[in-house]
Amino acid sequence: ANGYEYGWEDCYWETTADDWIGDENGLDEDYHDQIDAVNSWWYSKWAYDFFLTEYGRDAYDGAGGELELYIYAGVPNGRWVGGTGCNLIEINTGWVGWDMMVHEYSHGVQFFTSYIGMQGGTGQDFSLRESLADIQAVYADPDEWLQGNDRTGLPGFVRDIASPEIDHMDQFNPDGTAAAGYQNSGIPSKAAYLTAVGGTHRFYLGTGLGRTKMGHLYYLCLLYTSDAADEEDSVDIGGRRIIKKKKKI
């Protein structure tokens, strides 16, 4: 993307930012020594395989949709862009990672299903959107509970699903900023962690369902949790808080 980001009118098409470096058949050999290019090619393929193998879903739209992926983009980190002819992921330099790719791909699935948090803003729907994408990302990367810890050019991690900064509604940050929205995403993410492993959290004590059942359960939440839901609208399953979709009247 040469430092650019998408435009609603052109989606990178017919611009100097639209440099072709590969497709589903392979990567241009001129880019074989660029880790962002190599890893993004493999991770985008594996993300498709993950949703197909785990859930029988044929691409982000469920209909074999073609994904355009732009690296070296002028965005803060990574982003899904859907609609107006664009169905693409753009990623900044050094931000390519396996769980980052699954996270953004999950936003593509949300875009074509629940559409939660896609209207903009940084409220509870935004926090739920980010949490549900994080949960699929850590499920796809089964060795730990860290999101964003394997990026190509940056140390550390982005969010800790097992031990988030904010993990209960009595810590809810009402500031309304994007930073607060990401912090608040730790509340449903902690619920997902407890769903998988069990344990004690505040006054809850439960036995974990295991990582696989958790991943599949939260995939349904990803598909069906609407913007009408908030982080307090949930159903208690064995001491674990699982988001449900409100019925529209």
Side-chain angles (χ1 to χ4, degrees):
N2 299 327
Y4 291 92
E5 58 180 306
Y6 87 99
W8 283 113
E9 298 299 325
D10 57 37
C11 303
Y12 284 118
W13 304 329
E14 299 180 4
T15 72
T16 58
D18 191 8
D19 292 339
W20 182 93
I21 66 172
D23 57 24
E24 65 271 16
N25 295 315
L27 190 67
D28 188 307
E29 63 180 15
D30 290 342
Y31 292 86
H32 284 188
D33 62 348
Q34 297 186 27
I35 190 170
D36 276 11
V38 173
N39 285 13
S40 63
W41 189 89
W42 281 108
Y43 293 158
S44 60
K45 178 182 183 302
W46 293 347
Y48 170 85
D49 291 343
F50 168 73
F51 280 95
L52 181 64
T53 301
E54 287 292 324
Y55 309 119
R57 187 173 186 85
D58 186 6
Y60 53 86
D61 61 354
E66 182 178 274
L67 175 69
E68 293 193 69
L69 175 63
Y70 290 84
I71 57 175
Y72 309 136
V75 294
N77 37 67
R79 180 166 61 182
W80 161 266
V81 180
T84 66
C86 302
N87 288 304
L88 60 89
I89 293 173
E90 50 186 354
I91 305 177
N92 199 351
T93 303
W95 276 84
V96 176
W98 167 230
D99 49 10
M100 293 292 294
M101 188 67 70
V102 176
H103 176 100
E104 298 305 332
Y105 206 96
S106 296
H107 285 327
V109 176
Q110 289 170 319
F111 184 85
F112 281 91
T113 56
S114 65
Y115 205 70
I116 186 170
M118 296 293 174
Q119 299 283 7
T122 56
Q124 292 190 38
D125 56 344
F126 171 85
S127 298
L128 288 169
R129 181 192 77 181
E130 293 304 313
S131 172
L132 292 168
D134 278 351
I135 291 164
Q136 290 304 310
V138 296
Y139 174 48
D141 189 7
D143 294 332
E144 26 71 13
W145 292 93
L146 299 176
Q147 201 277 336
N149 65 311
D150 61 352
R151 293 166 291 170
T152 51
L154 296 166
F157 59 88
V158 178
R159 286 180 288 279
D160 186 344
I161 305 306
S163 183
E165 184 178 358
I166 291 177
D167 66 6
H168 196 274
M169 282 302 296
D170 63 11
Q171 300 173 309
F172 183 82
N173 186 340
D175 287 352
T177 62
Y182 283 115
Q183 286 178 326
N184 292 331
S185 74
I187 299 169
S189 292
K190 181 69 173 187
Y193 171 75
L194 293 170
T195 300
V197 304
T200 303
H201 181 58
R202 303 298 179 93
F203 301 107
Y204 295 103
L205 173 63
T207 301
L209 301 177
R211 201 163 184 136
T212 299
K213 289 182 179 179
M214 180 280 296
H216 282 247
L217 177 60
Y218 274 82
Y219 174 68
L220 295 177
C221 295
L222 183 141
L223 296 182
Y224 300 117
T225 302
S226 74
D227 280 342
D230 60 40
E231 288 163 316
E232 292 183 297
D233 177 56
S234 56
V235 58
D236 195 313
I237 302 179
R240 295 165 293 275
R241 308 291 289 179
I242 307 301
I243 307 153
K244 68 178 180 179
K245 181 177 180 179
K246 287 183 177 177
K247 293 181 179 179
K248 293 185 177 180
I249 300 175

